[in-house]
Amino acid sequence: MILDERGKKYLLKEDKEFQSDLGIVSAEQIANSEIGDELKSHLDHTFKIVKPNVNDFIDLMDRRCSILIQKDIGSVLAHTGLGAGDRVVDAGTGAGAIALNFGNVVGSEGKVYTYEIREDFAEVAKKNIENFGITNIEVKNKDIKEGIDEDNLDLIFLDLPKPFEIFEDVYDSLKVGGWLTVYAPYIDQAEVSYRIAKKLGFYNIDIIEILERGLEVRQQGVRPKTRMVGHSGYLLFARKL
């Protein structure tokens, strides 16, 4: 990744020169650079070479739909205790944002299976995952309502209009101690999911909403920003015990 003087990020293409309104950085300069190096464009602007992490890549990757944002993704990872070597099913792949985070966390010994019913979204997700260079994610262009192929799973994450319709299959596919997590934009989706999860015998059922408000630092003092990341969706967590 290359970073300009304004903090704007760009993904570099192999063996290609980089061009922006701040000038051109030659392919030769890029090929001979290392992480942390500063390069000058032909207009004498400074650029820095940086290794992108998963968040950088998601910011810059191809999107054809809305994606989960960091406050919600972080809560899923923390609440479920996902770790190296775990096996995950994700349904409602979209552009692949949360699948990339899952793959990044479970590592080379883990595996992520992500189901996407729309062929165009599945192709975008495959391209994004391939470009990030991660090999432990399998994109399946399939309706998960037709059945979950995997079992002994540590986590099943559902971003679907009616996730509760497959909770019985989810229960059967989870290992003891595994987690079901649902992302629901509307409260009625979360409420129905709660009632059905409880009926099926899940434990530790919680619905949470994460609100994110930053602070602005000025010479006069520090105060909350007037704009915040308010509602994005509700997260339901339920555990098979």
Side-chain angles (χ1 to χ4, degrees):
M1 182 176 76
I2 196 166
L3 193 70
D4 70 18
E5 297 167 345
R6 303 165 295 196
K8 190 172 182 180
K9 301 181 287 190
Y10 308 85
L11 288 176
L12 292 170
K13 295 181 180 179
E14 190 175 0
D15 300 326
K16 299 287 186 181
E17 70 179 16
F18 170 76
Q19 300 182 17
S20 79
D21 58 321
L22 298 184
I24 298 171
V25 180
S26 71
E28 183 180 1
Q29 286 176 280
I30 295 169
N32 293 326
S33 66
E34 296 181 352
I35 300 299
D37 285 354
E38 290 188 348
L39 307 179
K40 290 286 186 180
S41 72
H42 81 291
L43 296 178
D44 203 37
H45 288 283
T46 302
F47 292 81
K48 178 166 272 192
I49 302 297
V50 180
K51 181 180 179 180
N53 64 24
V54 67
N55 291 325
D56 294 318
F57 183 80
I58 289 170
D59 286 342
L60 298 170
M61 72 183 187
D62 185 16
R63 303 184 195 179
R64 306 288 171 88
C65 56
S66 60
I67 64 171
L68 263 74
I69 57 179
Q70 290 177 12
K71 70 180 182 68
D72 296 319
I73 293 173
S75 295
V76 173
L77 299 177
H79 199 107
T80 61
L82 194 69
D86 284 351
R87 301 176 72 248
V88 180
V89 157
D90 161 42
T93 310
I98 198 163
L100 282 167
N101 274 275
F102 289 152
N104 196 48
V105 168
V106 302
S108 59
E109 298 301 315
K111 186 72 177 182
V112 178
Y113 306 89
T114 181
Y115 288 68
E116 174 54 58
I117 191 172
R118 287 185 52 168
E119 185 177 0
D120 55 341
F121 286 176
E123 289 303 315
V124 169
K126 285 179 183 177
K127 181 181 175 182
N128 286 333
I129 291 163
E130 181 181 342
N131 288 342
F132 185 62
I134 200 165
T135 60
N136 60 354
I137 303 174
E138 180 182 339
V139 180
K140 310 180 80 165
N141 182 203
K142 176 183 175 180
D143 185 353
I144 198 170
K145 291 180 183 178
E146 296 174 0
I148 301 172
D149 300 328
E150 298 74 29
D151 57 15
N152 202 37
L153 296 163
D154 297 279
L155 170 64
I156 297 178
F157 176 85
L158 304 178
D159 181 4
L160 305 171
K162 296 180 179 179
F164 40 81
E165 292 180 340
I166 63 167
F167 278 9
E168 289 187 25
D169 287 344
V170 167
Y171 192 91
D172 291 339
S173 297
L174 285 171
K175 65 168 56 173
V176 175
W179 285 92
L180 159 67
T181 303
V182 170
Y183 176 81
Y186 303 105
I187 191 65
D188 53 333
Q189 294 170 300
E191 180 187 2
V192 174
S193 295
Y194 184 102
R195 295 185 186 283
I196 292 178
K198 188 172 183 179
K199 184 177 180 180
L200 290 172
F202 281 95
Y203 288 82
N204 304 131
I205 308 172
D206 288 305
I207 301 173
I208 64 173
E209 180 185 21
I210 309 298
L211 308 179
E212 182 178 285
R213 183 173 68 175
L215 298 178
E216 59 182 29
V217 180
R218 296 183 174 182
Q219 190 171 359
Q220 303 96 313
V222 181
R223 68 178 187 180
K225 292 182 178 179
T226 53
R227 293 187 178 185
M228 64 180 290
V229 182
H231 176 75
S232 50
Y234 302 99
L235 293 170
L236 176 137
F237 297 96
R239 197 174 193 191
K240 177 180 176 178
L241 295 174

